[in-house]
């Protein structure tokens, strides 16, 4: 092998990167430009805002639904925008009964559930009182938020004089059972169907307690 063969090979290897650079400089320039643009976009793009989880209805749910895990979903709202009274976890809500109908995607509030949350915003001392009208079909005429007078009808007009007493006036309905007209069970006790829960002042609650044992309860819708 000639003595000058090694130096010439080394020279060719040194020149090769420059040839490749000249041949593909446009492609490499484009790649460098894209990388620079990506870095700039990443640098100037603000970080996503923090979010909080809120439980929402996974589908349209009617009032009276006993919630299951399939009825609920988690949505993300901007931190600080989660409404008061909503839930961040589905677990405490499973098995609870809805007091009002919910549209798909609506948050599940404490006021949506049969329980103490129904009295949110009520005057101090207000209590939730269940009443069972004598005619369960009348339950279908009322809805949560409707104001009703509660009337006790006693006597039979024969051996006992008939009379009516207003036990509570213009009390709001908090919740009603879905299906009026339930029949007694084999043990003689009735199912929750036909029940109405109203918000009453303590004095009215005293009058309403056990009223059904003194006669027939009727609901009168008021404006």
């Amino acid at each position: 092998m000639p003595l000058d063969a090694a130096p010439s090979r080394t020279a060719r290897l040194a020149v090769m990167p420059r040839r490749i650079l000249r041949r593909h400089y446009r492609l490499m320039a484009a790649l460098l430009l894209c990388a620079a643009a990506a870095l700039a976009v990443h640098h100037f793009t603000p970080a996503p805002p923090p979010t909080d989880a809120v439980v929402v209805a996974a589908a349209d749910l009617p009032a009276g639904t006993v919630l299951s895990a399939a009825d609920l979903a988690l949505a993300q709202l901007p931190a600080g925008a989660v409404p008061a009274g909503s839930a961040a976890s589905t677990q405490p809500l499973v098995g609870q009964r809805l007091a009002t109908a919910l549209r798909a995607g609506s948050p599940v509030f404490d006021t949506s559930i049969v329980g103490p949350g129904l009295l949110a915003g009520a005057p101090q001392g207000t209590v939730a009182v269940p009443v069972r009208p004598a005619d369960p079909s009348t339950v279908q005429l009322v809805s949560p938020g409707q104001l009703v007078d509660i009337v006790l009808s006693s006597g039979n007009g024969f051996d006992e004089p008939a009379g009516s007493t207003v036990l509570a006036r213009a009390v709001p309905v908090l919740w009603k059972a879905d299906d009026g007209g339930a029949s007694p069970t084999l043990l003689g006790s009735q199912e929750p169907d036909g029940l109405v829960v109203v918000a009453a002042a303590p004095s009215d609650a005293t009058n309403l307690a056990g009223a059904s044992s003194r006669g027939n309860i009727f609901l009168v819708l008021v404006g």
Side-chain angles (χ1 to χ4, degrees):
M1 177 181 296
L3 296 178
D4 59 348
S8 60
R9 182 178 300 173
T10 303
R12 287 197 301 271
L13 292 177
V15 173
M16 188 176 297
R18 288 183 295 206
R19 291 179 178 174
I20 295 175
L21 180 61
R22 286 197 302 268
R23 184 177 303 173
H24 302 288
Y25 77 95
R26 291 183 179 178
L27 176 60
M28 297 182 67
L31 292 175
L32 290 173
L33 182 60
C34 291
L39 289 174
V41 170
H42 177 74
H43 178 74
F44 290 106
T45 300
T51 59
D52 290 327
V54 61
V55 179
V56 298
D60 291 346
L61 301 174
T65 299
V66 178
L67 295 173
S68 66
D71 296 323
L72 305 170
L74 284 177
Q76 297 294 326
L77 294 180
V82 175
S86 57
S89 171
T90 61
Q91 185 175 0
L93 297 175
V94 173
Q96 301 290 328
R97 185 184 295 273
L98 280 182
T100 58
L102 291 178
R103 288 291 188 185
S106 299
V108 183
F109 296 105
D110 52 355
T111 54
S112 306
I113 302 298
V114 177
L118 287 176
L119 292 172
Q124 185 74 20
T126 302
V127 294
V129 182
V131 294
R132 189 185 295 277
D135 182 2
S137 63
T138 61
V139 175
Q140 305 307 310
L141 302 178
V142 301
S143 58
Q146 173 72 51
L147 300 180
V148 296
D149 289 345
I150 301 178
V151 179
L152 171 65
S153 177
S154 57
N156 53 25
F158 297 100
D159 54 333
E160 296 182 15
S164 297
T165 304
V166 178
L167 301 179
R169 291 189 181 276
V171 293
V173 174
L174 298 178
W175 176 81
K176 70 169 187 175
D178 271 349
D179 183 19
S183 58
T185 64
L186 293 177
L187 297 178
S189 61
Q190 291 182 311
E191 296 294 331
D193 303 319
L195 277 180
V196 175
V197 179
V198 299
S203 56
D204 290 335
T206 302
N207 293 331
L208 293 172
S212 58
S213 64
R214 306 195 302 269
N216 295 323
I217 300 295
F218 295 95
L219 303 181
V220 180
L221 279 66
V222 299

